Amino acid sequence: MSNRMWGGRFASGPAEIMEEINASIGFDKRLAPQDIRGSLAHVAMLGKAGILPAEDVAAIEEGLKAVRGEIEAGQFTFRRDLEDIHMSVESRLREIVGPTAGRLHTARSRNDQVATDMRLWVRDTLDDLDAQAADLQRALAETALAHAGTVMPGFTHLQSAQPVTFGHHLLAYVEMLARDRGRFRDARARLNECPLGAAALAGTSFPIDRHATAAALGFDRPTANSLDSVADRDFALEALSAAAIAAVHLSRFAEEIVVWTSAQFGFVKLSDRFTTGSSIMPQKRNPDAAELVRAKSGRVIGALSALLIVMKGLPLAYSKDMQEDKEGTFDALQTLSLCLAAMAGMVRDLEPVPEVLKAAAGSGYATATDLADWLVRELGLPFRDAHHVTGRLVGAASARGIGLEALSLDEMRAEEPRITAAIYDVLGVENSVGSRTSYGGTAPANVRAQAERWLGLLGQA
Ligand code: ARG
């Protein structure tokens, strides 16, 4: 049998494999709530504009609500031969209210319908991601406050660089997440225009009120160009870009958790709740959740690339290629949601090991810069000369396999005769972090103030 929605000019139905490649119902059924919301807004507008009589509007509204009830109750049968969510809902509506159902599609096409549905879904999901990212920020800021003064090594090139505090390190991710949230909100603001009423591509001859449907669906305004309305998916691309960047942030932190929990680092302990064992090696505590967060960023980045590639060669307006926007967008944004939740859980259960962190912070001549700064401050050496003197002292200590603080005053004076015993005060890691009071620096007082500022901004969950 040919399709009831568009089969008028067809003598036969589609080949089995045509139906399989064409159907999107397997994945777009999740748009049912958005689809029905859009239809309710559309039919109400058709009534107000005098395009449909009130009794038809009432019947359709009641029918749509019945369909929604069935879907919510899990009593709806999704059929592949009905292609997609739009035709599935309309077909069931027809079963419930009869031929009047056919009036719903007046002044509308699946092209503007699907663009509207997707915008609604992405918008809701961006709001959820924003709230989840805020929760992760809260977990990080709380832990940062508790460890504002816990000294750890700061790295560049993964080589010991300068001591920092654990709280400072966590607050770096709070800042990244703040920018991620800004990108979610920017994407939301730009996508919040309603394509409904653009119809297939050219608009419609019916006297519809696009401002009314836009307002009813919580959009700021209708989209201004009917071709653009149905032809672009940049709103999904923008959400995916923001998601990919956020996923990369999470992946970097996940990588650090993997490294830090290794026996060789031993910087932090992850709870039993976020580790797994090995079936053969009884000693193992594997950071699987962190590894998966690290890996899943690949899916999010992949979805962005895939959709960019789908879109890049499409002439205006709609092409069926655009149906491929869905699976990747759904999967990527949900993946990010899962990663944000897992990271928040891990952070709340994370236990830094202060002794190990402090010992590691002092290794690798991490306070050499403090020594050089002392030479500049106390002796008036130009920084480049101070750097050179310090480098020679590090060389001398390293040749003997000892720390800078273990060099005698005489050994120091062999390089710079004006050095006094006061220099030993700056070689401790606590002193080092305490001195980094420049704005944004790692001094515990700064870290405490920043953590408190964030907790104030974030409020309670
Ligand atoms: N399932 C389709 C999609 O997701 C709906 C739009 C179909 N439009 C069309 N002209 N065939 O893109």
Side-chain angles (χ1 to χ4, degrees):
M1 199 191 81
S2 62
N3 190 299
R4 184 190 283 139
M5 305 293 171
W6 45 251
R9 62 158 297 172
F10 289 77
S12 83
E16 156 78 13
I17 199 71
M18 171 63 203
E19 190 180 292
E20 185 175 343
I21 195 172
N22 201 33
S24 55
I25 189 65
F27 45 86
D28 68 14
K29 61 182 174 203
R30 82 167 58 212
L31 294 175
Q34 290 77 12
D35 198 71
I36 292 173
R37 237 181 115 188
S39 289
L40 285 169
H42 183 67
V43 75
M45 179 278 293
L46 291 178
K48 279 210 192 82
I51 300 166
L52 288 193
E55 60 274 20
D56 287 353
V57 173
I60 291 171
E61 283 179 342
E62 215 170 296
L64 283 169
K65 286 175 191 164
V67 175
R68 183 169 62 193
E70 289 177 5
I71 293 174
E72 281 169 0
Q75 288 160 354
F76 193 94
T77 314
F78 293 99
R79 284 171 28 198
R80 197 180 72 177
D81 61 316
L82 292 174
E83 254 184 76
D84 59 24
I85 187 60
H86 325 294
M87 304 222 283
S88 300
V89 170
E90 191 183 320
S91 162
R92 181 70 189 123
L93 182 69
R94 180 185 297 269
E95 286 170 7
I96 297 172
V97 310
T100 309
R103 299 189 189 279
L104 169 62
H105 214 52
T106 313
R108 185 177 82 168
S109 151
R110 279 187 293 157
N111 296 350
D112 57 337
Q113 203 180 346
V114 74
T116 306
D117 291 3
M118 275 301 276
R119 282 184 193 236
L120 288 172
W121 189 88
V122 171
R123 189 177 74 185
D124 287 349
T125 306
L126 285 172
D127 290 344
D128 292 345
L129 289 171
D130 183 47
Q132 282 192 286
D135 185 55
L136 175 55
Q137 283 184 301
R138 210 174 286 118
L140 287 163
E142 278 161 6
T143 313
L145 186 59
H147 292 281
T150 304
V151 181
M152 70 174 285
F155 298 94
T156 59
H157 314 267
L158 197 57
Q159 306 284 319
S160 257
Q162 292 174 354
V164 294
T165 75
F166 192 71
H168 197 54
H169 196 107
L170 297 189
L171 288 180
Y173 286 103
V174 173
E175 296 291 336
M176 292 178 228
L177 286 161
R179 292 191 295 277
D180 292 329
R181 293 180 60 200
R183 277 181 281 271
F184 296 155
R185 284 195 297 263
D186 288 349
R188 185 198 203 283
R190 245 184 308 278
L191 78 64
N192 207 31
E193 295 184 345
C194 187
L196 194 60
L201 74 164
T204 174
S205 57
F206 289 98
I208 58 171
D209 182 353
R210 293 193 57 211
H211 292 273
T213 44
L217 295 171
F219 288 106
D220 296 330
R221 63 192 79 84
T223 48
N225 179 295
S226 61
L227 287 169
D228 173 49
S229 310
V230 296
D232 209 353
R233 291 293 180 268
D234 61 349
F235 66 89
L237 288 171
E238 200 172 345
L240 288 173
S241 311
I245 296 171
V248 166
H249 288 151
L250 298 189
S251 178
R252 294 182 72 178
F253 188 32
E255 161 69 5
E256 293 189 318
I257 291 176
V258 171
V259 172
W260 291 351
T261 50
S262 68
Q264 288 68 24
F265 273 72
F267 283 8
V268 298
K269 290 197 177 116
L270 262 182
S271 66
D272 287 357
R273 291 162 14 107
F274 284 95
T275 42
T276 59
S278 153
S279 54
I280 177 170
M281 297 166 283
Q283 84 284 8
K284 294 281 270 184
R285 289 176 58 79
N286 295 327
D288 291 33
E291 293 167 82
L292 287 164
V293 169
R294 184 174 61 184
K296 282 176 191 292
S297 60
R299 285 166 67 159
V300 184
I301 297 164
L304 170 61
S305 318
L307 186 55
L308 284 166
I309 296 164
V310 165
M311 296 304 297
K312 78 170 191 52
L314 298 185
L316 304 188
Y318 177 86
S319 297
K320 196 63 172 261
D321 308 52
M322 287 158 66
Q323 179 165 287
E324 287 292 310
D325 64 348
K326 291 180 193 59
E327 284 168 289
T329 303
F330 295 154
D331 181 74
L333 299 190
Q334 278 188 333
T335 295
L336 179 61
S337 165
L338 178 60
C339 291
L340 285 164
M343 283 310 258
M346 272 188 276
V347 170
R348 292 204 159 93
D349 280 15
L350 204 63
E351 264 184 63
V353 187
E355 326 75 77
V356 175
L357 287 167
K358 186 172 172 182
S363 72
Y365 304 100
T367 56
T369 312
D370 298 270
L371 195 156
D373 286 349
W374 186 90
L375 296 173
V376 170
R377 205 171 46 243
E378 303 299 325
L379 307 183
L381 262 61
F383 183 77
R384 285 291 161 221
D385 298 348
H387 184 287
H388 187 76
V389 169
T390 308
R392 293 186 61 84
L393 289 172
V394 168
S398 157
R400 291 177 46 204
I402 57 173
L404 280 172
E405 70 291 342
L407 288 174
S408 70
L409 194 52
D410 285 343
E411 285 168 308
M412 298 239 195
R413 284 179 170 160
E415 292 301 335
E416 169 50 64
R418 290 175 293 164
I419 290 178
T420 69
I423 197 156
Y424 291 101
D425 292 345
V426 300
L427 297 180
V429 291
E430 309 273 2
N431 185 288
S432 172
V433 295
S435 72
R436 299 295 197 273
T437 52
S438 56
Y439 185 78
T442 195
N446 280 4
V447 174
R448 214 165 283 120
Q450 287 290 340
E452 276 163 359
R453 181 179 72 86
W454 272 115
L455 289 172
L457 286 172
L458 291 162
Q460 292 307 305

PDB file of all heavy atoms in Angstrom, residues 2-20:
ATOM      1  N   SER A   2       0.489   2.259  -0.718  1.00  0.00           N
ATOM      2  CA  SER A   2       1.306   3.464  -0.705  1.00  0.00           C
ATOM      3  C   SER A   2       0.984   4.268   0.557  1.00  0.00           C
ATOM      4  O   SER A   2      -0.059   4.098   1.175  1.00  0.00           O
ATOM      5  CB  SER A   2       1.067   4.300  -1.959  1.00  0.00           C
ATOM      6  OG  SER A   2      -0.271   4.715  -1.985  1.00  0.00           O
ATOM      7  N   ASN A   3       1.891   5.156   0.900  1.00  0.00           N
ATOM      8  CA  ASN A   3       1.812   5.901   2.146  1.00  0.00           C
ATOM      9  C   ASN A   3       0.602   6.842   2.174  1.00  0.00           C
ATOM     10  O   ASN A   3       0.353   7.583   1.227  1.00  0.00           O
ATOM     11  CB  ASN A   3       3.114   6.709   2.279  1.00  0.00           C
ATOM     12  CG  ASN A   3       3.238   7.333   3.638  1.00  0.00           C
ATOM     13  OD1 ASN A   3       2.406   8.139   4.033  1.00  0.00           O
ATOM     14  ND2 ASN A   3       4.279   6.942   4.350  1.00  0.00           N
ATOM     15  N   ARG A   4      -0.124   6.826   3.309  1.00  0.00           N
ATOM     16  CA  ARG A   4      -1.326   7.639   3.383  1.00  0.00           C
ATOM     17  C   ARG A   4      -1.007   9.136   3.456  1.00  0.00           C
ATOM     18  O   ARG A   4      -1.792   9.994   3.047  1.00  0.00           O
ATOM     19  CB  ARG A   4      -2.175   7.236   4.585  1.00  0.00           C
ATOM     20  CG  ARG A   4      -3.477   8.040   4.565  1.00  0.00           C
ATOM     21  CD  ARG A   4      -4.331   7.935   5.798  1.00  0.00           C
ATOM     22  NE  ARG A   4      -5.072   6.703   5.861  1.00  0.00           N
ATOM     23  CZ  ARG A   4      -5.211   6.018   7.000  1.00  0.00           C
ATOM     24  NH1 ARG A   4      -4.678   6.453   8.094  1.00  0.00           N
ATOM     25  NH2 ARG A   4      -5.889   4.900   7.013  1.00  0.00           N
ATOM     26  N   MET A   5       0.162   9.461   4.012  1.00  0.00           N
ATOM     27  CA  MET A   5       0.505  10.876   4.176  1.00  0.00           C
ATOM     28  C   MET A   5       0.942  11.517   2.865  1.00  0.00           C
ATOM     29  O   MET A   5       0.727  12.685   2.641  1.00  0.00           O
ATOM     30  CB  MET A   5       1.633  11.041   5.198  1.00  0.00           C
ATOM     31  CG  MET A   5       1.352  10.413   6.541  1.00  0.00           C
ATOM     32  SD  MET A   5       0.009  11.229   7.433  1.00  0.00           S
ATOM     33  CE  MET A   5      -0.209  10.079   8.776  1.00  0.00           C
ATOM     34  N   TRP A   6       1.654  10.733   2.062  1.00  0.00           N
ATOM     35  CA  TRP A   6       2.137  11.354   0.829  1.00  0.00           C
ATOM     36  C   TRP A   6       1.990  10.461  -0.391  1.00  0.00           C
ATOM     37  O   TRP A   6       2.538  10.744  -1.449  1.00  0.00           O
ATOM     38  CB  TRP A   6       3.590  11.814   0.959  1.00  0.00           C
ATOM     39  CG  TRP A   6       4.572  10.843   1.601  1.00  0.00           C
ATOM     40  CD1 TRP A   6       5.134  10.965   2.826  1.00  0.00           C
ATOM     41  CD2 TRP A   6       5.120   9.642   1.037  1.00  0.00           C
ATOM     42  NE1 TRP A   6       5.991   9.913   3.078  1.00  0.00           N
ATOM     43  CE2 TRP A   6       5.997   9.090   1.994  1.00  0.00           C
ATOM     44  CE3 TRP A   6       4.953   8.956  -0.185  1.00  0.00           C
ATOM     45  CZ2 TRP A   6       6.708   7.899   1.787  1.00  0.00           C
ATOM     46  CZ3 TRP A   6       5.659   7.762  -0.387  1.00  0.00           C
ATOM     47  CH2 TRP A   6       6.523   7.253   0.584  1.00  0.00           C
ATOM     48  N   GLY A   7       1.195   9.380  -0.246  1.00  0.00           N
ATOM     49  CA  GLY A   7       1.186   8.356  -1.288  1.00  0.00           C
ATOM     50  C   GLY A   7       0.252   8.584  -2.458  1.00  0.00           C
ATOM     51  O   GLY A   7       0.126   7.714  -3.321  1.00  0.00           O
ATOM     52  N   GLY A   8      -0.411   9.754  -2.520  1.00  0.00           N
ATOM     53  CA  GLY A   8      -1.395   9.993  -3.560  1.00  0.00           C
ATOM     54  C   GLY A   8      -0.922   9.666  -4.961  1.00  0.00           C
ATOM     55  O   GLY A   8      -1.655   9.070  -5.756  1.00  0.00           O
ATOM     56  N   ARG A   9       0.287  10.009  -5.279  1.00  0.00           N
ATOM     57  CA  ARG A   9       0.727   9.820  -6.657  1.00  0.00           C
ATOM     58  C   ARG A   9       1.545   8.543  -6.833  1.00  0.00           C
ATOM     59  O   ARG A   9       2.171   8.342  -7.874  1.00  0.00           O
ATOM     60  CB  ARG A   9       1.520  11.036  -7.147  1.00  0.00           C
ATOM     61  CG  ARG A   9       2.782  11.323  -6.383  1.00  0.00           C
ATOM     62  CD  ARG A   9       3.737  12.155  -7.212  1.00  0.00           C
ATOM     63  NE  ARG A   9       4.148  11.422  -8.393  1.00  0.00           N
ATOM     64  CZ  ARG A   9       4.851  11.925  -9.397  1.00  0.00           C
ATOM     65  NH1 ARG A   9       5.194  13.193  -9.360  1.00  0.00           N
ATOM     66  NH2 ARG A   9       5.222  11.198 -10.417  1.00  0.00           N
ATOM     67  N   PHE A  10       1.587   7.719  -5.793  1.00  0.00           N
ATOM     68  CA  PHE A  10       2.368   6.483  -5.883  1.00  0.00           C
ATOM     69  C   PHE A  10       1.461   5.283  -6.113  1.00  0.00           C
ATOM     70  O   PHE A  10       0.406   5.166  -5.488  1.00  0.00           O
ATOM     71  CB  PHE A  10       3.175   6.266  -4.598  1.00  0.00           C
ATOM     72  CG  PHE A  10       4.322   7.236  -4.444  1.00  0.00           C
ATOM     73  CD1 PHE A  10       4.105   8.548  -4.039  1.00  0.00           C
ATOM     74  CD2 PHE A  10       5.630   6.833  -4.712  1.00  0.00           C
ATOM     75  CE1 PHE A  10       5.150   9.445  -3.905  1.00  0.00           C
ATOM     76  CE2 PHE A  10       6.675   7.714  -4.578  1.00  0.00           C
ATOM     77  CZ  PHE A  10       6.437   9.024  -4.168  1.00  0.00           C
ATOM     78  N   ALA A  11       1.896   4.399  -6.998  1.00  0.00           N
ATOM     79  CA  ALA A  11       1.109   3.204  -7.270  1.00  0.00           C
ATOM     80  C   ALA A  11       1.460   2.093  -6.298  1.00  0.00           C
ATOM     81  O   ALA A  11       0.615   1.295  -5.920  1.00  0.00           O
ATOM     82  CB  ALA A  11       1.361   2.740  -8.705  1.00  0.00           C
ATOM     83  N   SER A  12       2.716   2.035  -5.897  1.00  0.00           N
ATOM     84  CA  SER A  12       3.098   0.954  -4.977  1.00  0.00           C
ATOM     85  C   SER A  12       3.834   1.525  -3.777  1.00  0.00           C
ATOM     86  O   SER A  12       4.275   2.672  -3.768  1.00  0.00           O
ATOM     87  CB  SER A  12       3.998  -0.055  -5.692  1.00  0.00           C
ATOM     88  OG  SER A  12       5.338   0.404  -5.692  1.00  0.00           O
ATOM     89  N   GLY A  13       3.959   0.706  -2.748  1.00  0.00           N
ATOM     90  CA  GLY A  13       4.669   1.118  -1.537  1.00  0.00           C
ATOM     91  C   GLY A  13       6.173   1.002  -1.743  1.00  0.00           C
ATOM     92  O   GLY A  13       6.638   0.564  -2.798  1.00  0.00           O
ATOM     93  N   PRO A  14       6.946   1.399  -0.748  1.00  0.00           N
ATOM     94  CA  PRO A  14       8.397   1.375  -0.859  1.00  0.00           C
ATOM     95  C   PRO A  14       8.962  -0.025  -0.738  1.00  0.00           C
ATOM     96  O   PRO A  14       8.341  -0.907  -0.141  1.00  0.00           O
ATOM     97  CB  PRO A  14       8.847   2.223   0.343  1.00  0.00           C
ATOM     98  CG  PRO A  14       7.740   2.089   1.330  1.00  0.00           C
ATOM     99  CD  PRO A  14       6.484   1.915   0.548  1.00  0.00           C
ATOM    100  N   ALA A  15      10.138  -0.224  -1.329  1.00  0.00           N
ATOM    101  CA  ALA A  15      10.870  -1.471  -1.129  1.00  0.00           C
ATOM    102  C   ALA A  15      11.208  -1.596   0.348  1.00  0.00           C
ATOM    103  O   ALA A  15      11.346  -0.596   1.049  1.00  0.00           O
ATOM    104  CB  ALA A  15      12.156  -1.467  -1.957  1.00  0.00           C
ATOM    105  N   GLU A  16      11.349  -2.827   0.765  1.00  0.00           N
ATOM    106  CA  GLU A  16      11.670  -3.094   2.167  1.00  0.00           C
ATOM    107  C   GLU A  16      12.915  -2.301   2.607  1.00  0.00           C
ATOM    108  O   GLU A  16      12.938  -1.653   3.647  1.00  0.00           O
ATOM    109  CB  GLU A  16      11.872  -4.617   2.294  1.00  0.00           C
ATOM    110  CG  GLU A  16      12.733  -5.105   3.443  1.00  0.00           C
ATOM    111  CD  GLU A  16      11.973  -5.086   4.771  1.00  0.00           C
ATOM    112  OE1 GLU A  16      10.740  -4.929   4.732  1.00  0.00           O
ATOM    113  OE2 GLU A  16      12.635  -5.202   5.819  1.00  0.00           O
ATOM    114  N   ILE A  17      13.933  -2.322   1.761  1.00  0.00           N
ATOM    115  CA  ILE A  17      15.185  -1.672   2.141  1.00  0.00           C
ATOM    116  C   ILE A  17      15.054  -0.153   2.080  1.00  0.00           C
ATOM    117  O   ILE A  17      15.689   0.577   2.839  1.00  0.00           O
ATOM    118  CB  ILE A  17      16.365  -2.189   1.267  1.00  0.00           C
ATOM    119  CG1 ILE A  17      17.702  -1.897   1.939  1.00  0.00           C
ATOM    120  CG2 ILE A  17      16.323  -1.638  -0.142  1.00  0.00           C
ATOM    121  CD1 ILE A  17      17.947  -2.750   3.156  1.00  0.00           C
ATOM    122  N   MET A  18      14.161   0.327   1.198  1.00  0.00           N
ATOM    123  CA  MET A  18      13.862   1.765   1.155  1.00  0.00           C
ATOM    124  C   MET A  18      13.240   2.195   2.483  1.00  0.00           C
ATOM    125  O   MET A  18      13.618   3.225   3.070  1.00  0.00           O
ATOM    126  CB  MET A  18      12.894   2.045   0.001  1.00  0.00           C
ATOM    127  CG  MET A  18      12.338   3.455  -0.041  1.00  0.00           C
ATOM    128  SD  MET A  18      13.643   4.678  -0.294  1.00  0.00           S
ATOM    129  CE  MET A  18      12.880   6.137   0.389  1.00  0.00           C
ATOM    130  N   GLU A  19      12.326   1.390   2.954  1.00  0.00           N
ATOM    131  CA  GLU A  19      11.666   1.714   4.220  1.00  0.00           C
ATOM    132  C   GLU A  19      12.690   1.732   5.355  1.00  0.00           C
ATOM    133  O   GLU A  19      12.673   2.612   6.212  1.00  0.00           O
ATOM    134  CB  GLU A  19      10.578   0.671   4.499  1.00  0.00           C
ATOM    135  CG  GLU A  19       9.681   1.049   5.643  1.00  0.00           C
ATOM    136  CD  GLU A  19       8.616  -0.006   5.901  1.00  0.00           C
ATOM    137  OE1 GLU A  19       7.714  -0.172   5.039  1.00  0.00           O
ATOM    138  OE2 GLU A  19       8.703  -0.680   6.945  1.00  0.00           O
ATOM    139  N   GLU A  20      13.613   0.776   5.288  1.00  0.00           N
ATOM    140  CA  GLU A  20      14.593   0.681   6.368  1.00  0.00           C
ATOM    141  C   GLU A  20      15.532   1.891   6.390  1.00  0.00           C
ATOM    142  O   GLU A  20      15.805   2.461   7.446  1.00  0.00           O
ATOM    143  CB  GLU A  20      15.402  -0.612   6.241  1.00  0.00           C
ATOM    144  CG  GLU A  20      16.334  -0.793   7.426  1.00  0.00           C
ATOM    145  CD  GLU A  20      17.080  -2.120   7.416  1.00  0.00           C
ATOM    146  OE1 GLU A  20      16.657  -3.047   6.687  1.00  0.00           O
ATOM    147  OE2 GLU A  20      18.080  -2.211   8.129  1.00  0.00           O
TER     148      GLU A  20
END
